[in-house]
Amino acid sequence: MKKIRIGIPYALYFYEYYPLWKEFLTRLGAEVILSKPTNKNILDLGVRSSLSEVCLPVKIFYGHVLSLADQVDYILIPRMVCVEKGAFFCPKIIGLPDMVKSSISTLNSLLVPLVDVRKPYGTWKNSLFQVGQLITDNSLAISRAFSISWENFQKNYVANLLDPKLLNPSLLAKDTKNVAQGLDKMTINININIAVVGHDYLVNDSYINLNLIDKLKKMNVNILTPSMVPPRIVKKQLKKLYKPIFWSLSRKAVGAALYYFENKVEGVIHLTSFECGEDSMVGELIHHQSKQYPEVAYTEFVFDEHTGEAGINTRLEAFLDMVRRKKQYEINFAPSR
Amino acid sequence: MKLTLPRLGNIEVAYETIITDMGHELIEPPPNSKRTLDLGVRYSPEYCCLPLKIVLGNFIEGLELGAEVLLMAGGWGPCRFGYYAQVQRDILIDLGYNFKMLIMELPRGNWKTLWDNINILRNGKKWSYFANQFGLAWQKILLTEKLENKILQVRPREKKKGITSRVFADTIVKIKKAKDREALKQIEREALQQFDEITDFKKKNLIRVALVGEFYVSLEPFVNHHLEEKLGYLGVEVVRKNSIRAWVEPIVNLHLFRENIKDEKEIEQAAYHYLAHSVGGEGQSTVGNVVLAHQEGLDGAIQVIPFTCMPEIVAETILKKVSEDLDFPTLTLTYDEQTGEEGLNTRIEAFIDLLKMRRRKGVMVS
């Protein structure tokens, strides 16, 4: 029998939930086709088929859906509403299946399971079950596939968390020693920690963020991301705010930013996309919090479909120069910590 | 205590009843103006939606006049409105103002804050008096909305241009000063009579347009560049789909009177085929209301949204499809601080011409 082919657009929340769906569907014997990483073609497709007022990540999601359209039987677009108490997804993500359906008329069938853990029919298990029943009638197999893939999903999530050594200032201490030994002060390569916070789909999509992560790596920077911060710490950090944040996807970014501020990393870069509603508010909150930590440099990069690489390069270099110079100054003149 | 509140349409008719009569000093923010907008825009995050900026402008102008306490509504998402108060508080603190912010919202778990806030407002007055004043304030808002809906029908039929707005402005002043429900009834009778006098009943079969979209922009004339008035002068009868009543009742009566939410259910049902889940704000009701407007036989719908509004962009995307399916013209007007008056006029006029043309064509064919 021919396998059912299910397409997963590699954008938005799938940066977080793709491993779960992939494993579940493969275990049930479906063929999972992941769209290619974002490229010029996908962006163009997305921009052409969506309204101009829609935010960049959603436009790119459109592009991924269109690029999958003629390769698969079904396209998976879960309606993500709520995965934890007191927090929702952004309105555009909740309405995403309907938006895609009404903008693109030529699509194959969409799979739209509801994920809303407040409701008994919307739990992860039920929503995966709905999709599983399309592939096989054997509910025992579905059940087993669910529990295994759920377990692995949790395990992998923990595996990606922060290695505590990364935040250790020992690297810096070594450099200070070198300085004391009389090495050339100006050429010492000071290892600095830069936290890149923002939605997963901005931090991890190297096409949208114009290879920012690679660029930072080349500049000998130790990169920290929100996914490295354990959920427990995020929760604790968010208590600092006057009012809890009610967007699931932003919670991680804000909690991580506050955590990195508190641990005095050298710099924090907040990635936002043009027209993103969450980021406009959350950016202001992070900015406000950053003022309490004057020793941490903070900047915000906004991306849209017209962002030029040269502009970002200049800003990034200027930001790093500033951070480095500050560090150098501390090593040369300030008493070491 | 010197207290200030944001503006929204004619909602200030109720302010004296619940603030001044409780023994507080009401600092009424100046009417929305270019300056309000400029102040708001200068200090808000760039990509925030317009209502946040205007309300921030209101607060700054109120604080300049000496206000100590800011009263603001809140919510729990997913629309950004729930976070307005928090962000505005942060911005105003950074600007160096000294104030206290009372946020009225249904609490999550912590009912004490709401209780404390209500007690601050009550200011030691008797509960019965407090409840009575709140009831009166609510009646004032209901009456204002009723009359506002009435003038939408009167204005396109008025005998002398501009007279409706003048009569209405007088009525608002009267409502503001009213001290009890009897007075309100008297005002209502008088106003309705005056409206009848200035209406030319010979004008029939006017173009009828539904006004849907974001709550604040559709109700605040300064922000939507007096859209209702403009349409009225073009001889169009506007059917306003948003109201303070429809906004507050489901929140307040949530656990008390279930039947009041019936309207909302109906709208949800109408939208279900196109947008199956609520997306926060007025996203789903915008879609539902357009479908209902089509069923009611209106000629078209105008959706007004602030730039970057999340729920309304979802609705806008879907409205394209609704409009195509039902053969029902819709126009989306996006407002931000740059919106120019003339561009807006042109678009509205063109849209109304289109509606008129469709009517004529329909008559000829049938």
Side-chain angles (χ1 to χ4, degrees):
Chain A
M1 201 184 82
K2 211 171 144 255
K3 277 184 174 180
I4 294 183
R5 287 167 307 166
I6 296 180
I8 294 186
Y10 197 34
L12 289 179
Y13 46 67
F14 277 118
Y15 277 95
E16 197 147 331
Y17 298 110
Y18 167 68
L20 173 67
W21 284 105
K22 153 105 189 185
E23 187 172 1
F24 176 72
L25 295 173
T26 333
R27 271 179 193 281
L28 287 179
E31 191 187 342
V32 175
I33 297 176
L34 185 68
S35 63
K36 292 198 181 67
T38 315
N39 53 38
K40 179 112 183 44
N41 200 8
I42 286 178
L43 178 65
D44 283 350
L45 276 175
V47 170
R48 227 176 291 147
S49 56
S50 60
L51 283 184
S52 62
E53 289 188 344
V54 176
C55 61
L56 179 65
V58 171
K59 279 180 189 164
I60 287 179
F61 189 88
Y62 272 57
H64 282 278
V65 170
L66 279 172
S67 75
L68 280 172
D70 42 0
Q71 306 172 33
V72 295
D73 302 321
Y74 295 98
I75 295 176
L76 182 69
I77 309 180
R79 189 192 300 281
M80 306 290 289
V81 179
C82 170
V83 291
E84 56 189 321
K85 205 173 156 240
F88 299 95
F89 279 77
C90 118
K92 282 178 209 159
I93 291 183
I94 300 177
L96 195 61
D98 295 308
M99 282 168 82
V100 171
K101 226 184 287 173
S102 53
S103 299
I104 311 171
S105 49
T106 55
L107 276 187
N108 321 34
S109 331
L110 299 184
L111 289 180
V112 187
L114 173 80
V115 181
D116 185 351
V117 295
R118 294 170 304 171
K119 300 194 177 126
Y121 52 86
T123 56
W124 274 109
K125 187 164 183 180
N126 277 344
S127 112
L128 266 75
F129 236 85
Q130 273 177 41
V131 177
Q133 271 161 352
L134 245 157
I135 306 167
T136 166
D137 293 333
N138 185 348
S139 40
L140 193 70
I142 304 178
S143 199
R144 204 180 298 135
F146 170 75
S147 48
I148 295 174
S149 39
W150 183 253
E151 217 167 88
N152 285 340
F153 177 59
Q154 299 292 344
K155 241 186 254 163
N156 284 336
Y157 190 78
V158 176
N160 280 331
L161 294 178
L162 182 66
D163 181 2
K165 270 183 230 145
L166 282 176
L167 269 180
N168 208 332
S170 63
L171 291 164
L172 180 71
K174 205 167 68 194
D175 280 336
T176 330
K177 222 197 284 166
N178 289 345
V179 175
Q181 284 165 0
L183 290 171
D184 186 2
K185 283 167 200 149
M186 296 315 283
T187 54
I188 288 174
N189 184 15
I190 299 166
N191 208 324
I192 51 178
N193 297 308
I194 297 284
V196 181
V197 298
H199 289 136
D200 277 351
Y201 51 77
L202 289 178
V203 177
N204 296 336
D205 191 329
S206 58
Y207 187 80
I208 305 187
N209 67 29
L210 303 165
N211 267 327
L212 189 78
I213 302 289
D214 280 353
K215 275 176 199 158
L216 280 170
K217 270 184 192 151
K218 267 182 211 147
M219 293 169 174
N220 275 323
V221 166
N222 195 6
I223 300 163
L224 305 163
T225 60
S227 353
M228 294 175 176
V229 183
R232 176 170 51 80
I233 293 181
V234 168
K235 230 180 191 171
K236 207 174 110 200
Q237 291 292 331
L238 286 175
K239 292 217 171 99
K240 283 185 193 165
L241 295 175
Y242 190 68
K243 178 176 185 174
I245 288 186
F246 47 68
W247 295 300
S248 295
L249 289 182
S250 287
R251 275 191 172 186
K252 206 162 89 179
V254 177
L258 297 184
Y259 176 67
Y260 291 134
F261 281 141
E262 199 179 82
N263 280 287
K264 309 232 159 53
V265 298
E266 278 76 15
V268 173
I269 302 178
H270 184 208
L271 305 189
T272 69
S273 55
F274 179 66
E275 279 262 359
C276 176
E278 286 180 21
D279 285 350
S280 65
M281 305 300 257
V282 161
E284 185 65 22
L285 293 181
I286 297 180
H287 182 65
H288 182 77
Q289 291 288 331
S290 76
K291 288 182 185 167
Q292 294 174 21
Y293 304 96
E295 59 272 59
V296 181
Y298 170 74
T299 189
E300 192 180 299
F301 287 177
V302 184
F303 294 99
D304 66 6
E305 60 263 46
H306 310 297
T307 311
E309 190 146 10
I312 289 293
N313 283 349
T314 314
R315 296 185 58 194
L316 194 62
E317 277 162 21
F319 181 72
L320 284 181
D321 280 353
M322 180 187 77
V323 172
R324 285 224 163 87
R325 213 168 287 160
K326 203 165 140 195
K327 209 73 222 169
Q328 207 113 38
Y329 176 83
E330 274 173 19
I331 289 168
N332 290 343
F333 303 106
S336 59
R337 278 183 276 180
Chain B
M1 207 166 55
K2 294 177 174 177
L3 223 148
T4 193
L5 299 96
R7 276 177 175 273
L8 166 68
N10 285 313
I11 201 177
E12 84 261 13
V13 290
Y15 285 177
E16 278 185 23
T17 320
I18 49 170
I19 308 293
T20 320
D21 291 359
M22 288 295 137
H24 300 292
E25 192 182 330
L26 171 66
I27 308 277
E28 212 172 300
N32 286 338
S33 63
K34 189 85 183 36
R35 179 159 189 271
T36 320
L37 181 65
D38 284 346
L39 281 173
V41 169
R42 193 179 312 154
Y43 299 117
S44 319
E46 193 180 352
Y47 301 121
C48 271
C49 35
L50 194 57
L52 183 138
K53 299 179 184 176
I54 304 253
V55 172
L56 184 71
N58 282 154
F59 283 151
I60 293 177
E61 287 188 320
L63 287 167
E64 281 171 351
L65 292 174
E68 292 158 350
V69 177
L70 311 178
L71 196 65
M72 179 67 188
W76 289 100
C79 168
R80 270 181 283 182
F81 175 72
Y83 235 84
Y84 273 21
Q86 159 79 30
V87 168
Q88 284 163 342
R89 184 175 156 273
D90 281 357
I91 295 169
L92 291 171
I93 287 176
D94 282 353
L95 287 177
Y97 287 109
N98 203 357
F99 63 94
K100 189 175 156 52
M101 200 155 200
L102 295 187
I103 303 171
M104 291 292 168
E105 63 189 349
L106 283 184
R108 282 262 168 92
N110 187 5
W111 287 86
K112 195 174 172 301
T113 329
L114 182 70
W115 179 252
D116 289 348
N117 285 352
I118 289 178
N119 269 328
I120 292 173
L121 265 190
R122 189 167 65 96
N123 202 15
K125 294 272 191 295
K126 272 198 196 118
W127 275 106
S128 56
Y129 181 67
F130 182 65
N132 185 41
Q133 289 300 62
F134 246 88
L136 181 62
W138 184 233
Q139 291 302 325
K140 284 186 175 186
I141 291 175
L142 289 188
L143 175 59
T144 315
E145 287 214 314
K146 196 172 166 191
L147 294 179
E148 275 171 354
N149 283 327
K150 177 80 187 161
I151 62 169
L152 293 179
Q153 295 168 12
V154 175
R155 194 177 283 124
R157 299 181 172 88
E158 64 189 1
K159 284 175 183 161
K160 213 170 107 195
K161 195 182 170 188
I163 192 157
T164 318
S165 302
R166 279 206 294 283
V167 170
F168 183 63
D170 293 345
T171 315
I172 286 293
V173 175
K174 279 188 218 154
I175 295 178
K176 216 172 178 178
K177 285 186 188 139
K179 287 286 175 213
D180 50 35
R181 288 165 202 232
E182 276 309 307
L184 284 183
K185 276 190 191 133
Q186 178 67 23
I187 293 167
E188 183 178 350
R189 269 197 300 275
E190 276 173 27
L192 288 180
Q193 201 184 349
Q194 270 176 317
F195 286 152
D196 277 352
E197 279 165 22
I198 56 174
T199 313
D200 179 3
F201 285 103
K202 270 176 253 160
K203 285 186 188 163
K204 276 178 193 153
N205 287 333
L206 297 179
I207 299 277
R208 296 175 77 212
V209 169
L211 180 64
V212 296
E214 200 269 339
F215 177 74
Y216 190 88
V217 174
S218 62
L219 295 184
E220 172 58 49
F222 172 77
V223 176
N224 64 32
H225 294 247
H226 304 272
L227 182 65
E228 287 175 353
E229 244 171 73
K230 272 184 187 145
L231 287 169
Y233 294 145
L234 285 174
V236 175
E237 193 182 310
V238 181
V239 180
R240 192 199 271 181
K241 293 287 189 182
N242 281 332
S243 68
I244 298 176
R245 184 184 166 169
W247 192 64
V248 171
E249 277 192 345
I251 301 174
V252 178
N253 295 347
L254 204 54
H255 309 291
L256 301 177
F257 310 106
R258 272 279 165 197
E259 65 267 32
N260 277 337
I261 316 179
K262 211 185 86 205
D263 285 356
E264 212 187 8
K265 279 269 149 60
E266 199 184 326
I267 295 169
E268 237 168 72
Q269 214 68 51
Y272 188 81
H273 178 64
Y274 295 101
L275 183 54
H277 198 283
S278 161
V279 292
E282 285 79 37
Q284 200 184 18
S285 51
T286 297
V287 176
N289 275 325
V290 170
V291 175
L292 286 178
H294 174 254
Q295 285 167 9
E296 287 159 15
L298 270 61
D299 293 275
I302 296 183
Q303 183 202 19
V304 289
I305 66 178
F307 183 57
T308 75
C309 175
M310 301 194 279
E312 292 298 328
I313 286 177
V314 177
E316 188 190 348
T317 311
I318 292 166
L319 277 190
K320 293 266 175 300
K321 171 88 171 159
V322 176
S323 168
E324 222 175 87
D325 281 4
L326 301 177
D327 187 25
F328 186 67
T330 59
L331 171 72
T332 301
L333 298 174
T334 311
Y335 290 91
D336 67 0
E337 59 265 27
Q338 315 284 351
T339 305
E341 189 94 21
E342 279 313 316
L344 198 68
N345 288 347
T346 313
R347 297 188 61 194
I348 297 170
E349 278 163 24
F351 183 66
I352 299 304
D353 279 351
L354 171 102
L355 295 185
K356 283 181 182 160
M357 227 127 66
R358 277 171 61 96
R359 267 229 179 149
R360 236 176 286 146
K361 206 170 139 199
V363 170
M364 269 171 6
V365 171
S366 65

